[in-house]
Amino acid sequence: MARIHKDLIPLVLWMGFIFIMSSDLGSYTHTLSLIESLMQWLKFHLSAEAFGRVHFLLRKGGHLFEYAVLAMLILHSARLSMRPIVASWSWKVAAFSFLAASAYAATDELHQVFVPTRTASLQDVLIDSGGALLGLSAAFLWRRCFPMRYH
């Protein structure tokens, strides 16, 4: 039982990171100033319109990345907790991982309803779910290219 709890630490920490990024810290204004500072430091100049597109793409790319990692961590934790029943790829565990990541995306957007500097968006839930699907697809391809067994 102690092994299961230790294996959940990365998952719980990542869920906490997503929750924190759903606060004011991850708001449009904060990410805007962060990216502006980075661009100035890199001495990379864009028109206001181009910068707006870059900022938008980075924010939505962040959603994809966060939830790709979340789905892979859920998949990993679920597989470890079901060992030795699930030794390699399992569509049932992958489906569970996708649904769990998508449900977390929905609760994440619900959380943003209560943060004055954030807004909830069904579009973001769909992007997050797409990120989860990308992460699970990457995990599936990895397992196909580099099969391994758990001991």
Side-chain angles (χ1 to χ4, degrees):
M1 196 66 144
R3 171 93 176 144
I4 292 173
H5 295 295
K6 186 178 92 176
D7 291 331
L8 289 176
I9 292 171
L11 173 60
V12 171
L13 289 174
W14 193 254
M15 291 172 84
F17 170 75
I18 291 173
F19 185 82
I20 289 168
M21 292 309 293
S22 292
S23 69
D24 180 60
L25 184 62
S27 70
Y28 178 88
T29 305
H30 280 100
T31 59
L32 181 70
S33 64
L34 177 69
I35 295 168
E36 281 177 338
S37 298
L38 180 63
M39 297 286 233
Q40 288 174 356
W41 181 74
L42 293 171
K43 300 191 185 324
F44 195 77
H45 303 287
L46 294 173
S47 68
E49 184 180 325
F51 180 80
R53 284 193 301 265
V54 167
H55 183 232
F56 175 81
L57 290 173
L58 286 173
R59 287 181 59 82
K60 298 312 170 189
H63 279 267
L64 286 171
F65 177 77
E66 284 177 340
Y67 282 87
V69 172
L70 179 64
M72 288 188 287
L73 288 170
I74 293 169
L75 178 73
H76 181 69
S77 296
R79 285 181 54 248
L80 287 176
S81 69
M82 296 178 70
R83 209 177 7 178
I85 301 167
V86 177
S88 62
W89 183 263
S90 164
W91 289 106
K92 286 181 182 179
V93 176
F96 167 78
S97 301
F98 174 76
L99 292 173
S102 296
Y104 194 74
T107 63
D108 181 49
E109 292 301 313
L110 180 63
H111 165 235
Q112 290 182 26
V113 168
F114 302 101
V115 179
T117 57
R118 301 301 302 264
T119 56
S121 164
L122 178 59
Q123 176 187 4
D124 284 348
V125 174
L126 295 174
I127 292 170
D128 297 342
S129 297
L133 192 57
L134 284 173
L136 293 170
S137 297
F140 174 76
L141 290 173
W142 182 265
R143 296 302 245 160
R144 297 282 285 193
C145 294
F146 306 102
M148 64 182 214
R149 293 272 183 220
Y150 284 95
H151 305 303

